[in-house]
Amino acid sequence: MKTISEARGTLVTTLADDWGSDIATLKGVPWGKVMMWVFLVSDTFIFTCFLVGYMSVRMSTIEPWPNPSEVFALHAFGVSVPLLLIAIMTFILISSSGTMAMAVNMGYQRRKKAATNLILVTALLGAMFVGMQAFEWSKLILDEGVRPWTNPFGAPQFGAVFFMVTGFHGLHVSAGVIYLLTIAFRIRRGKYDESDFEIVEISGLYWHFVDLVWVFIFALFYLW
Amino acid sequence: MTKETGQRHPIRIYLVVWGLLFLVSALSYSTDFLDRGFWRWTLILLFMVLKAGFIVAVFMHMRWERLALMSVVLVPPVLLMVLVGLMTIESDYTRSMRIEHFETAIPGEAMPVVEREIRNRRPD
Amino acid sequence: MTEIEVPYQETIGVRHPRSWITRYWFSQDHKVIAVQYGVTAIAVGLVALVLSGLMRIQIGFPGLLPFITPDVYYQAVTMHGMIMVIFLLTAFLLGAFGNFCVPLMLGARDMVFPFVNMLSYHVYLLSVVVLMASYFVPGGPTGAGWTLYPPQAILPGTPGVDWGIVTMLLSLIIFVVAFTMGGLNYITTILQARTRGMTLMRMPLTVWGIMMATVLGLLAFPALFVSGVMMLLDKLVGTSFFMPAIVSFGQPLEHSGGSPLLFQHLFWFFGHPEVYIVALPAFGVVSELISVHSRKNIFGYRMMVWALVAIGALSFVVWAHHMYVAGMHPYFGFFFATTTLIIAVPTAIKVYNWVLTLWKANIKLTVPMLFALAFILTFVVGGLSGLFLGNVIIDVPLSDTYFVVAHFHMVMGVAPILVIFGGIYHWYPKLTGRMLNNTLGQLHFWVTFLGTYAIYYPMHYLGFIGVPRRYYANGMESDFYPESAATLNEFITIAALVVGLMQFVFVYNLIASYFRGKAAGSNPWEATTLEWQTPNTPPSHGNWGDTLPTVHRWAYDYSVPDEDQDFIPQNVEHT
């Protein structure tokens, strides 16, 4: 049975050592982090299946697919700026990822107040994202007449895919906001004082995943 | 459960990657001004993969994780590629079947050759 | 500085529950949760058993029970299938066996997150309740078949089109949530919470089977989730993911542009790994049973592990062998038939290894062993018929006939159920401290084994002559249905009813032996794996007392030459 120091070798020997060792395969990785990563892999499959459904429907339909640049354009200063709102939303989500990464760093430095505040900022940015998505939805539903079963721009599945995919993503972001708020308050209450504050990293993983999914949605749905 | 030294990397790297993400996002956004075709789609995918890579490798710390954890996370999505690939072919096939059998022409395109020939051979 | 790794579970204390509610209803003890899963799964399985009896009565003696209308029949077909596959087999093999065996076999105190484990059971229970609610909603349960193919699943003409399909899809979605919670726990526990000396290659094959099945589930259930959501949207909101332009009862519908094949691809991307989610734990448990009850190490342990991994990985690229006649891309058959035949190879290797384990072994024909042997026989038969179906051309006349029904019942319905029974007879003494009654066990075994052969063996013949599956009217109304088929169906029905009744004897045995069974001691089968080495039987909360066991050897030191006993437990040191 090797000690951990002995087990650390070259990259490939570490792989074989890890998988061949007793007690834990992923040395030094807290249980919560393993669980979060495995959950994120599973969630990746969910979003990929949604996007495969989107791809399938879009590729097989005879009717022309609406142009997202036009559908999601905003009128600003008298000019129609394509995908303006989406660009702002992307900016906000990336910003929130950045604040989250810094929160994780603060957490490991045991700077509770800084970590809590950064988490709260992240949650706030996330809430803003959801708010904008809700605005987007209401604009499409009320102003443009887009419905899950039909829309004036082209193939009827456009609305269905849009609401389904952004809906699930929005649900994940909302759940993430609640999760982050919970973590922030628990840190402040001192619940994690005995630990290394790995909980911040674990919740950070979830938040970055939400951003990651948005990267794919942005590219494949809005830009394609 | 033993603890590895946590994410004790200098903050700099996160700020750099953060900046890069903004940059690549701006580049992604600008592909919108290209016409639909090879270059647009290639660049969309390229920037998407770049951003995803930055987020997973740096923000989600994967670059510094043990290979064992990396393999647990990065190997299963390979199976998804099979699904995506096959569904691409299948959707294309569905579309071609619709064109062929429902006498449907794509607006702006000529009728498929097969359709024309069937029509020519019919006695009506 | 060198650090010797200490299992984390040894450093944390165990908080014992106090009240009845926290000890039994909201228990966070994996053993109690295992029983909860088991009891719920058996209960709902008995419902499905009764439904199968109704189906068989209609097939064998049409018109005998006038309340079995076509609607009732198709609802029974659907509910029987869905309950058996998901709510019994998956839930029992993973929820019950997984929860009970994994922490004990790994030398752990419990799963890594007992609270989440408890939640997973209650969410599973909720999914069962929602499914059973189908019987109480207007229109009753859906009659779309367990495969729920659109467009018919959500169009009038199918029973349960208003509410039943909605409750069905909702219950599946809730089940996926429960499974995900449980699955995350299992993976994390197996990867991170083993005891000292327990490497992955010293784990019993039961744990390997459960681990691979959990991985498959975490990766495959998302596809079911997504297809369920999309079908719900098609039904409730009017989207057209799966609904093409269609005319229903003379009226053109609003839908257009969707593809029913998309559903089939997504469903079977889940559906094929699902059958391996059922099969792999069964493979693992069978390896255990054969090894223990023949006093011989499992032949080729390493290959058994790799075979499990290979089967698991390959199971994701064979799905469209369920769709050869569906109208998909014509060249897909080449690809999927090839992968399907390839996946037969590691499966066959496992069968060879089981047989080679038995070769010249000291076989004890205990009830668990009988079930294990029966598994091998029935699984091989079912697997052979799978070879026919896996080839595209042969599948064309056999698809949607009773040949398919015979095949999947043999490999999923008979073989894994026999393993479940065998596993229960095997581990009941550890769970309760008592043995199940041997006479009743033998009776249960022989009637079940021979009876299920009597049911499914003739069914292959029915399939060959072209009798279609999922038909309500099997008999005088159809021209192509010969007299012999009707007679055969009567025979099968009678066999089915006898086998069905025998399962209630088994349930009686389970309950009665708890109170009156022979005292078992801590290791009645003289097995080597860790669960039999607990200080108490039944194991107390925390399983191991103050110190976790230390493992020094693999799980199969049986009949080691020059040793006094014919088994050496895993936690015995080398001298």
Side-chain angles (χ1 to χ4, degrees):
Chain A
M1 241 180 312
K2 289 194 170 141
T3 63
I4 302 201
S5 320
E6 285 167 350
R8 245 171 236 153
T10 66
L11 207 54
V12 176
T13 8
T14 319
L15 181 68
D17 283 332
D18 276 2
W19 283 100
S21 71
D22 67 334
I23 302 180
T25 304
L26 306 169
K27 297 280 177 231
V29 185
W31 292 345
K33 191 166 157 183
V34 175
M35 207 143 140
M36 181 55 81
W37 265 120
V38 178
F39 168 68
L40 294 180
V41 173
S42 192
D43 220 1
T44 305
F45 272 65
I46 294 206
F47 277 104
T48 307
C49 286
F50 274 131
L51 289 173
V52 163
Y54 154 57
M55 174 191 81
S56 204
V57 148
R58 178 169 175 175
M59 278 183 75
S60 61
T61 184
I62 298 293
E63 303 185 53
W65 194 259
N67 185 349
S69 324
E70 288 159 17
V71 177
F72 296 107
L74 272 192
H75 287 268
F77 317 114
V79 178
S80 174
V81 183
L83 296 179
L84 179 61
L85 187 60
I86 313 305
I88 298 174
M89 287 162 73
T90 308
F91 174 83
I92 287 187
L93 212 52
I94 297 184
S95 304
S96 73
S97 254
T99 52
M100 191 71 219
M102 293 205 282
V104 176
N105 204 291
M106 293 296 120
Y108 279 123
Q109 289 181 39
R110 302 196 78 88
R111 288 164 60 179
K112 277 169 57 173
K113 212 157 179 328
T116 311
N117 289 338
L118 282 163
I119 294 177
L120 289 173
V121 171
T122 309
L124 178 66
L125 289 169
M128 281 169 67
F129 178 92
V130 177
M132 284 188 222
Q133 190 67 274
F135 167 74
E136 184 75 66
W137 274 42
S138 62
K139 182 167 163 291
L140 285 180
I141 295 173
L142 299 172
D143 293 341
E144 316 274 3
V146 174
R147 301 278 178 273
W149 52 85
T150 190
N151 66 78
F153 302 110
Q157 283 85 3
F158 176 79
V161 171
F162 171 73
F163 289 123
M164 188 178 71
V165 172
T166 57
F168 264 88
H169 179 253
L171 267 176
H172 277 75
V173 179
S174 308
V177 168
I178 298 173
Y179 179 38
L180 286 179
L181 288 174
T182 315
I183 299 294
F185 289 131
R186 283 184 172 182
I187 294 179
R188 189 187 286 170
R189 273 208 324 261
K191 186 170 159 148
Y192 301 111
D193 286 351
E194 306 291 312
S195 76
D196 275 350
F197 289 96
E198 61 266 8
I199 188 65
V200 189
E201 180 176 5
I202 293 169
S203 49
L205 285 176
Y206 178 81
W207 193 258
H208 293 307
F209 173 76
V210 154
D211 190 18
L212 187 65
V213 172
W214 180 253
V215 166
F216 284 92
I217 295 178
F218 176 55
L220 296 171
F221 184 80
Y222 289 98
L223 284 178
W224 195 269
Chain B
M1 170 177 66
T2 55
K3 309 283 177 67
E4 215 164 52
T5 53
Q7 236 177 335
R8 304 281 156 93
H9 310 287
I11 268 213
R12 225 182 76 93
I13 182 136
Y14 298 107
L15 293 173
V16 167
V17 169
W18 199 5
L20 282 172
L21 280 174
F22 282 127
L23 175 64
V24 180
S25 300
L27 289 171
S28 290
Y29 179 78
S30 57
T31 61
D32 195 35
F33 297 107
L34 294 171
D35 284 333
R36 288 196 154 69
F38 173 79
W39 275 115
R40 182 191 174 110
W41 290 330
T42 312
L43 286 177
I44 288 177
L45 288 175
L46 174 68
F47 294 139
M48 177 181 90
V49 169
L50 265 179
K51 282 173 69 175
F54 279 137
I55 294 176
V56 173
V58 179
F59 278 179
M60 293 172 97
H61 201 241
M62 194 53 102
R63 225 190 84 179
W64 298 281
E65 298 288 359
R66 306 178 80 85
L67 199 51
L69 180 58
M70 241 188 270
S71 55
V72 165
V73 174
L74 296 177
V75 167
V78 171
L79 294 164
L80 290 171
M81 295 300 111
V82 178
L83 178 66
V84 171
L86 285 169
M87 287 313 292
T88 321
I89 303 173
E90 177 77 317
S91 307
D92 190 61
Y93 172 73
T94 306
R95 188 165 193 267
S96 68
M97 286 295 106
R98 284 174 174 168
I99 296 172
E100 191 181 315
H101 293 287
F102 296 149
E103 304 185 355
T104 316
I106 309 299
E109 286 177 23
M111 271 250 174
V113 174
V114 174
E115 217 26 76
R116 253 184 277 129
E117 288 188 339
I118 292 175
R119 288 218 159 148
N120 291 341
R121 268 185 242 136
R122 269 205 225 123
D124 56 326
Chain C
M1 180 192 72
T2 56
E3 327 146 29
I4 301 293
E5 200 179 357
V6 173
Y8 184 63
Q9 288 197 334
E10 195 157 69
T11 61
I12 54 178
V14 181
R15 260 184 36 227
H16 299 289
R18 300 265 168 245
S19 66
W20 188 91
I21 292 250
T22 51
R23 276 182 76 170
Y24 294 110
W25 185 237
F26 287 115
S27 173
Q28 297 186 26
D29 183 334
H30 68 101
K31 303 181 286 296
V32 177
I33 297 174
V35 171
Q36 289 175 318
Y37 265 106
V39 168
T40 312
I42 290 180
V44 80
L46 288 175
V47 171
L49 185 68
V50 168
L51 289 174
S52 76
L54 292 178
M55 285 156 59
R56 275 313 320 175
I57 290 177
Q58 168 57 28
I59 300 170
F61 304 97
L64 181 68
L65 293 179
F67 72 86
I68 307 181
T69 60
D71 275 12
V72 169
Y73 180 77
Y74 286 117
Q75 289 169 331
V77 166
T78 310
M79 292 296 275
H80 165 82
M82 193 63 85
I83 291 174
M84 286 303 199
V85 174
I86 306 273
F87 295 90
L88 172 61
L89 286 170
T90 310
F92 202 101
L93 283 163
L94 285 176
F97 280 137
N99 257 312
F100 185 74
C101 298
V102 166
L104 284 171
M105 285 178 157
L106 296 180
R109 292 201 183 287
D110 207 310
M111 295 285 181
V112 288
F113 290 108
F115 182 74
V116 175
N117 205 13
M118 179 270 289
L119 275 184
S120 86
Y121 167 69
H122 286 277
V123 176
Y124 162 67
L125 182 63
L126 177 66
S127 74
V128 169
V129 166
V130 172
L131 182 70
M132 291 296 116
S134 301
Y135 278 105
F136 300 97
V137 293
T142 177
W146 94 279
T147 47
L148 304 175
Y149 279 2
Q152 204 43 53
I154 57 176
L155 289 181
T158 308
V161 67
D162 291 312
W163 281 97
I165 185 71
V166 173
T167 48
M168 168 67 82
L169 292 170
L170 278 177
S171 97
L172 288 176
I173 289 172
I174 297 171
F175 181 86
V176 173
V177 173
F179 185 98
T180 306
M181 283 196 276
L184 293 175
N185 236 334
Y186 293 9
I187 295 280
T188 313
T189 307
I190 295 173
L191 283 182
Q192 301 292 88
R194 306 189 296 276
T195 186
R196 256 179 304 258
M198 179 62 85
T199 63
L200 287 175
M201 288 310 241
R202 282 178 175 172
M203 296 195 311
L205 282 166
T206 304
V207 181
W208 271 112
I210 290 171
M211 175 167 127
M212 284 313 302
T214 311
V215 169
L216 291 189
L218 288 171
L219 303 180
F221 271 105
L224 177 69
F225 183 90
V226 166
S227 51
V229 166
M230 285 164 121
M231 195 189 283
L232 263 181
L233 288 176
D234 275 5
K235 164 76 200 153
L236 295 175
V237 174
T239 53
S240 299
F241 289 110
F242 307 131
M243 304 297 284
I246 198 167
V247 175
S248 171
F249 282 91
Q251 300 301 317
L253 297 179
E254 297 284 319
H255 300 282
S256 78
S259 170
L261 278 175
L262 173 62
F263 176 84
Q264 292 192 27
H265 278 292
L266 285 174
F267 179 83
W268 287 115
F269 186 77
F270 146 74
H272 194 82
E274 163 63 21
V275 313
Y276 287 103
I277 292 169
V278 168
L280 294 184
F283 290 166
V285 170
V286 153
S287 300
E288 222 61 66
L289 298 181
I290 288 185
S291 199
V292 173
H293 295 275
S294 67
R295 318 309 293 161
K296 189 151 172 272
N297 61 288
I298 197 78
F299 183 93
Y301 171 81
R302 204 163 266 270
M303 276 313 294
M304 292 299 248
V305 171
W306 283 112
L308 281 172
V309 174
I311 293 172
L314 283 169
S315 71
F316 277 97
V317 292
V318 298
W319 78 85
H321 66 218
H322 300 269
M323 294 167 62
Y324 286 147
V325 297
M328 61 179 178
H329 193 290
Y331 292 171
F332 276 10
F334 288 115
F335 174 77
F336 284 104
T338 311
T339 53
T340 304
L341 295 179
I342 292 176
I343 205 175
V345 173
T347 319
I349 289 179
K350 293 190 79 68
V351 174
Y352 303 148
N353 283 9
W354 288 319
V355 173
L356 284 165
T357 308
L358 291 167
W359 182 256
K360 292 199 177 178
N362 186 3
I363 300 176
K364 319 248 184 213
L365 288 176
T366 56
V367 174
M369 182 55 143
L370 289 171
F371 277 107
L373 293 173
F375 166 85
I376 299 178
L377 289 169
T378 49
F379 190 79
V380 166
V381 168
L384 288 174
S385 58
L387 283 178
F388 283 79
L389 294 169
N391 282 284
V392 184
I393 301 299
I394 311 180
D395 186 61
V396 172
L398 293 177
S399 184
D400 283 330
T401 64
Y402 268 98
F403 194 87
V404 180
V405 178
H407 161 71
F408 68 68
H409 275 96
M410 273 298 200
V411 282
M412 292 250 313
V414 180
I417 291 277
L418 292 177
V419 170
I420 290 180
F421 289 148
I424 294 178
Y425 282 97
H426 182 75
W427 277 301
Y428 189 88
K430 176 50 64 173
L431 179 68
T432 59
R434 295 179 183 274
M435 307 292 282
L436 281 168
N437 182 289
N438 193 54
T439 316
L440 287 180
Q442 294 268 348
L443 179 66
H444 176 223
F445 168 73
W446 286 109
V447 172
T448 305
F449 172 54
L450 296 176
T452 47
Y453 247 98
I455 299 171
Y456 296 112
Y457 212 73
M459 236 185 237
H460 294 90
Y461 172 70
L462 286 176
F464 269 148
I465 63 174
V467 178
R469 64 184 287 209
R470 288 179 175 168
Y471 263 43
Y472 169 77
N474 285 289
M476 319 312 132
E477 294 85 35
S478 36
D479 290 328
F480 62 82
Y481 199 98
E483 232 4 88
S484 61
T487 320
L488 210 44
N489 266 328
E490 287 173 17
F491 169 75
I492 294 176
T493 296
I494 299 185
L497 292 173
V498 170
V499 172
L501 281 171
M502 183 50 58
Q503 307 319 310
F504 288 94
V505 173
F506 170 66
V507 173
Y508 167 77
N509 194 357
L510 282 179
I511 302 172
S513 299
Y514 184 77
F515 301 104
R516 294 203 300 263
K518 199 173 63 169
S522 72
N523 194 355
W525 309 118
E526 299 192 322
T528 59
T529 41
L530 281 181
E531 79 273 22
W532 300 102
Q533 325 303 332
T534 53
N536 307 322
T537 301
S540 47
H541 189 232
N543 294 340
W544 303 103
D546 289 328
T547 334
L548 297 180
T550 303
V551 167
H552 298 275
R553 52 184 80 232
W554 71 329
Y556 298 103
D557 265 342
Y558 292 101
S559 301
V560 179
D562 300 328
E563 291 287 332
D564 297 330
Q565 290 182 302
D566 71 346
F567 76 107
I568 309 175
Q570 278 192 277
N571 54 346
V572 167
E573 292 181 31
H574 291 278
T575 42

